Amino acid sequence: MLGLFSSKPSTNAKGKVLCDLSNAKELKYHCDDTVERLLTEPTDKQGSPGEAAPGFPLFKASHIVDNAMMAVNFIVSVLMIGSVLFAYRQKLDWKDARPLFMVTVPIFAIFYVAFFVVQHLRGPIVFLGSRQVSGNKNETENLRVSSPYFNSAVSTGKKTQDGRPILKPPTYELLVQYTRTTQGRTLARREGRIPIGNFGEWFTEEGEFKEPIFRERLVEGLQKLLGM
């Protein structure tokens, strides 16, 4: 989620996650990466099996589309690199190598464009999963969580003693789409924007990430939207 060239949180000697408070993108991306883990792993692996929080059953994440896209991207990349290596090892001149590249280059370009089109259409999804309704195995709850919003810090209108403006940390919001289905029929559908809170609620002044607080805000927001 953070990307190859993005800064990532560090971990101190006590195993605590530390983020750069001056980098709002790092804070947001770390929260994005945490959402799936919190929805698929229990609060206490020994005391609360099967629940992300008391009264909130776990979801099972789905990575079918992501895995398929990665597999296709890998195959096409190998095809392109393989054609280049083949031409190099065979010491083919441009005239002889041209028919080969006239096939491999368009294939690579088509799938490359298709990859980004699919990514654009899907949007900034941070979680996609489902779970069976408790007591009714024929009903399934499907959850899609996106993180399309990037808010900036806002001024409180106050200043410090040395004249610097006091800012309120950026807020973190998620777009949630929920459906409950049975045998192909949709029984319920909900969609909404969930304000989880501002980064100052779960990041300390030292940049330490307080996961229990973030988990509580996330679950509370989902429970309110889902009517639990």
Side-chain angles (χ1 to χ4, degrees), residues 131-141 180-184 187:
R131 67 185 180 190
Q132 288 186 330
V133 176
S134 178
N136 190 342
K137 295 184 178 181
N138 293 324
E139 293 186 11
T140 303
E141 294 178 297
R180 183 159 56 90
T181 60
T182 179
Q183 299 178 348
L187 302 177

Side-chain angles (χ1 to χ4, degrees), residues 175-194:
L175 178 63
V176 177
Q177 296 172 303
Y178 165 86
T179 57
R180 183 159 56 90
T181 60
T182 179
Q183 299 178 348
R185 294 186 297 109
T186 300
L187 302 177
R189 184 188 303 273
R190 294 185 179 88
E191 180 175 342
R193 184 169 175 168
I194 299 180

